[in-house]
Amino acid sequence: MFNKKEPGKVSRLKELWRDKRFRSLIFLGFWFVFAIVIVAAYRPMYNSNVESYREKQESKVNSSVMNNYSYSLLDTKDSKINVITGKVYGNYNLFNINGVDYYYNGKVYKLTLPITEMPISTLGYLRITPKVINNMVERSTMLETDKYSLPLIDFITLYDANELNNIETSQLNEKNVLIDVYKKDGLFYKVDINITDYVKLKEPNVKSDILTFNYTNINEIDDFTKEYESRVQK
């Protein structure tokens, strides 16, 4: 015959289990172990998110202090390169396209004789200022340090939101604009923006289109606005 008496250790455990204080300690220990397991499981993800946040913070450029500067914009579309040069003072922009000078003060003026007002669309990609680039970076996913992927819909929203009225949502799905940022002392000196997916919406045969912004003489430009304000107001 088998001895039906429960082993002493089991009896002791049952006796302890009837003790409310003992049960509370067991539950407390269980939750403590559970918490350790959860923390251990999420720590790698947390550390990764913190590192990504730090990298993004370090990559930020204080565009608000870029009050004036010289610049060049190279638009490299397949094998063709268009170059625009100019300088900015506050919200004023003096620029040259194909040997012709233009002046922007909220309106665009072609500085030929006679001086004529031009549509605001004449600015083209010059509407992508350092501040706008900062906003684009903030909406982007960081691929690696100083390299970002911006959803095409966000690019258009920041560049010219009115264009969205003429674009089907399906045309924007899974399309992105790639941004490479180069900076020194917390300021831009070069930015490459691959707008191929954007240009293909209108020109599907284009294989590649990259905008390159170069910034020099930051905060060293003399105020040129008075001279040109007097000319366009005549």
Side-chain angles (χ1 to χ4, degrees), residues 59 61 128-130 132-152 154-155 158 176-182 188 190-196 209-211 213:
S59 296
V61 173
I128 304 177
T129 64
V132 172
I133 293 172
N134 260 4
N135 291 337
M136 289 180 177
V137 167
E138 288 176 356
R139 293 198 185 194
S140 298
T141 298
M142 179 182 289
L143 303 177
E144 57 183 278
T145 302
D146 294 331
K147 295 182 181 294
Y148 304 90
S149 177
L150 175 68
L152 182 55
D154 288 335
F155 172 82
L158 292 169
N176 300 280
V177 166
L178 302 178
I179 304 173
D180 288 358
V181 172
Y182 304 83
F188 292 130
K190 179 182 176 182
V191 179
D192 288 329
I193 305 180
N194 188 327
I195 59 170
T196 304
D209 197 340
I210 299 175
L211 304 178
F213 295 87

Side-chain angles (χ1 to χ4, degrees), residues 1 3 18 21 25 36 57 60 63 70 78 81 84 91-92 116 124-125 146-147 170 177 184 189 192-193 218 231:
M1 296 292 293
N3 186 358
R18 286 192 290 269
R21 183 178 179 184
L25 290 173
I36 291 176
Q57 289 299 106
K60 279 190 174 181
S63 63
S70 299
D78 290 340
I81 302 177
I84 300 175
N91 295 320
Y92 301 86
T116 55
Y125 296 127
D146 294 331
K147 295 182 181 294
S170 58
V177 166
K184 182 179 180 181
Y189 70 85
D192 288 329
I193 305 180
I218 297 172
R231 290 175 62 180

Side-chain angles (χ1 to χ4, degrees), residues 165-183:
N165 296 326
N166 303 314
I167 302 174
E168 295 292 335
T169 304
S170 58
Q171 294 179 277
L172 305 175
N173 292 339
E174 299 182 3
K175 294 182 179 179
N176 300 280
V177 166
L178 302 178
I179 304 173
D180 288 358
V181 172
Y182 304 83
K183 59 188 185 301

